Structures are given as C-alpha cells and as structure tokens.
Amino acid sequence: MKNIVLIGFMGTGKTSVGRLLAARLGCAFHDLDKKIEEAHGMTIPEMFVRHGEPYFRAREKEAVAAAAARGNLVVATGGGVVKDAENMRALRKNGIIVALTADIDTILARTAARGQRPVLDRADEGDRRAAVAALMEERRLLYAGADVTVDTTGRAPLEIAEHIMQTIRIWRK
C-alpha cells in the first residue's frame, strides 16, 4: 500500500496526527526528524548549531529517500522537506501527500517552546509572528501541491486522523 505522507508547517500536528493515523491504519509511523536524530546521535537543534542547516538538509534528503523506498508507512516530515523538489518527487512516487495547515496564532502557540525549532528560534520574540508569516508565505505554494489539505486549527488530533482516513480511503487501494 502507498505511504501517507504528512507535510506542513511546523506546529500543524504532523507528529501527533501521524502517530494516531498509523495506529488506526495498522501501519508503521515514521517521523523523519526522529529518524535523523537517531541515525546521527544528536538533536536537530544540535545539528543546526554544530554543522548548519545545509548539513541537516542533506541528512533530511537521505531520510526521505529511505522512507520513500518503503511502503505502508505514515510519514511525518519536517516542515522544510517541501523546499526540495527532489524530496517531494521521491515521497509522491509511493505516497499520498497530505498537507496539514493551521493559522498563525495556532502555530505560534504550538511552537512557543524555545530550543526545539531552530528556524524560528533565530527570531526575537517580537519578530516570531513575522518569521512564521514569512515562512508560511514562502512555502504556501509548495504545500498547495498536496493531494489533500486539512486545516488543523482548533481540531483535536484524533478528529484530524479520522478525517484523513476517510478522505484518503480511495487512494489506499
């Protein structure tokens, strides 16, 4: 069966929804960021500090290729996976792409903890909203290429997982 690939901006619920979706579908959950951290023995924020974003993006590309080569997975991607067209081609080849979205206030609330989001942690507190808005706009068209889009604003992860299951049923055959 095809993979279900969750894309979307950080804080849209890819990991929490992905875990529930995989459990409901009886398939494996594959969190790309966690796989990268496990394979390289450091957190993503540590990778950014020690080696920079290009190093992380190269590791991300390797993890995408490994996940795309498998089947019957629910894959939660990092928010920036969509910036690389090769990543998206690989994921689409054996996957249904589901974009999770949320409004800016929801994303700010869900990503408020410092030290976990290197791309946002560079912004001062007052600039955080502007940083989120700019990144969301930069990636908007990339997320728009998904097979399915689901707004997670004000919705529980289980409700979102159920909605995705109903929506993608026809593609899973």
Side-chain angles (χ1 to χ4, degrees):
M1 286 208 271
K2 286 189 167 209
N3 293 330
I4 298 173
V5 180
L6 303 178
I7 65 170
F9 199 77
M10 61 189 91
T12 56
K14 296 179 299 290
T15 299
S16 56
V17 170
R19 280 191 187 108
L20 289 168
L21 188 57
R24 307 280 294 176
L25 292 171
C27 59
F29 175 63
H30 198 90
D31 184 317
L32 284 181
D33 286 350
K34 291 295 175 216
K35 296 291 183 185
I36 295 166
E37 289 178 340
E38 290 167 5
H40 298 283
M42 68 182 91
T43 66
I44 290 169
E46 286 174 316
M47 281 184 212
F48 270 71
V49 169
R50 290 184 189 176
H51 305 289
E53 187 172 357
Y55 174 87
F56 167 71
R57 295 297 174 200
R59 305 300 69 81
E60 184 177 60
K61 186 180 282 292
E62 295 164 357
V64 163
R70 295 183 56 192
N72 204 32
L73 296 175
V74 172
V75 179
T77 66
V81 161
V82 297
K83 292 173 24 175
D84 185 310
E86 190 178 323
N87 281 342
M88 293 310 296
R89 277 192 300 278
L91 291 168
R92 188 175 294 284
K93 189 178 266 187
N94 186 34
I96 301 161
I97 309 297
V98 179
L100 301 184
T101 64
D103 65 29
I104 290 178
D105 290 327
T106 299
I107 288 170
L108 286 169
R110 291 177 182 170
T111 62
R114 293 284 186 173
Q116 299 301 310
R117 313 286 181 164
V119 174
L120 284 186
D121 287 344
R122 296 181 225 162
D124 292 331
E125 198 60 43
D127 293 335
R128 206 166 163 83
R129 176 178 286 277
V132 168
L135 285 170
M136 285 176 71
E137 181 57 29
E138 173 187 311
R139 298 174 184 175
R140 183 176 54 82
L141 291 176
L142 300 172
Y143 296 138
D147 299 310
V148 176
T149 301
V150 180
D151 187 352
T152 67
T153 303
R155 297 172 78 184
L158 185 56
E159 176 190 352
I160 298 160
E162 291 290 335
H163 176 81
I164 292 168
M165 284 176 53
Q166 296 304 315
T167 304
I168 55 97
R169 185 178 305 179
I170 57 170
W171 279 301
R172 294 280 296 177
K173 295 179 180 173

